[in-house]
Amino acid sequence: MADKDSRAGERYANREIVSFCDDIHLGDSTVSRAAFASPEQENMPAIMVGLSEGRLLGLLSRMVGARRIVEVGTLAGFSAIELAGGMHADGHLWTIENDAKHAAVARKNIAEAGLENRITVVDGDGVEGLARLEAEGPFDVVFVDADKGRYDQYGRWARTHLRPGGLLLMDNAYLFGRLLEDGPAPAAMRRAHEEAAAHLHSVCIPTPDGLILAIQPDTD
Ligand code: DHB
Ligand code: MG
């Protein structure tokens, strides 16, 4: 067992501080603001990652020199557009979405961002969609933000299809505060944590709902 962090769970930030920092760092220039706003406008659930998390995804994609990215769970395309913003000019991102309306809204946002040739929205179930994308790999980044009860399966797929040094990112790692409860979804999410820690270099970043960040080790 790791030593306990005596400050774990403490928060110095409040809404005012977070907005002050977001105003400075995010400005108003991002191409993905339309995608960020569209779930609410289109009567879809507004459950995408936050603006600063979107920026983080783009920076991480840039840091690993990403050329091939897979996302599970598109919603309106906000995180896909952010991830693609950090990708090489000749890169490609595939994002899997099981809801036809969400996929249609995402395609529109992606086209408006001028990224229709660099992002493919794959219709269908996450696990089946990943199986169809196997031949496009190995991947530089896999971002999971989909049905929480299958995060363990998504994590295993990522380990098999990430290049050495590639990134596995998983949103909602605290499972809306239910991570330690009984039931299949908390158990699957705990397995996703345990397996990322066992097989990759991993950490859970304390974003509002937790973000697993894990690096595929180099093969020796
Ligand atoms: C939900 C899903 C998400 O991925 C998220 O970040 C927040 C909420 C949901 O299904 O309610
Ligand atoms: Mg999420």
Side-chain angles (χ1 to χ4, degrees), residues 47 145 148 171-172 176:
I47 54 174
D145 195 11
K148 311 309 169 198
D171 189 39
N172 306 104
F176 323 113

Side-chain angles (χ1 to χ4, degrees), residues 19-213:
S19 344
F20 173 87
C21 296
D22 282 354
D23 283 349
I24 292 176
H25 293 283
L26 303 178
D28 53 12
S29 62
T30 157
V31 291
S32 53
R33 284 294 165 103
F36 187 78
S38 75
E40 211 173 325
Q41 291 159 0
E42 305 275 354
N43 215 13
M44 290 160 55
I47 54 174
M48 59 282 172
V49 296
L51 288 173
S52 59
E53 291 164 84
R55 175 64 62 84
L56 174 65
L57 295 175
L59 292 177
L60 289 168
S61 150
R62 191 174 295 277
M63 283 168 70
V64 298
R67 284 195 160 83
R68 309 180 83 71
I69 301 178
V70 177
E71 174 181 68
V72 191
T74 312
L75 195 67
F78 169 67
S79 45
I81 292 169
E82 289 286 321
L83 282 162
M87 191 167 70
H88 268 276
D90 60 355
H92 202 88
L93 184 150
W94 292 264
T95 179
I96 305 169
E97 177 54 55
N98 204 18
D99 182 305
K101 178 185 169 181
H102 297 181
V105 171
R107 285 192 180 97
K108 181 167 73 74
N109 286 325
I110 288 162
E112 275 169 20
L115 290 167
E116 66 272 31
N117 296 324
R118 303 183 57 212
I119 300 180
T120 302
V121 180
V122 177
D123 292 285
D125 172 81
V127 168
E128 290 165 21
L130 287 174
R132 276 189 274 142
L133 290 177
E134 271 172 12
E136 307 288 354
F139 296 94
D140 304 299
V141 179
V142 174
F143 175 50
V144 180
D145 195 11
D147 47 326
K148 311 309 169 198
R150 296 196 298 182
Y151 266 41
D152 53 344
Q153 292 184 58
Y154 295 138
R156 271 172 231 139
W157 188 91
R159 287 207 313 276
T160 318
H161 296 95
L162 275 171
R163 65 147 162 98
L167 290 184
L168 168 62
L169 304 164
M170 302 179 119
D171 189 39
N172 306 104
Y174 299 155
L175 195 60
F176 323 113
R178 298 202 299 267
L179 181 63
L180 306 183
E181 293 181 6
D182 291 336
M189 187 64 82
R190 289 196 299 272
R191 269 196 302 278
H193 279 270
E194 287 159 6
E195 293 178 11
H199 301 284
L200 297 94
H201 305 292
S202 70
V203 70
C204 184
I205 304 177
T207 58
D209 197 28
L211 178 74
I212 294 174
L213 187 164

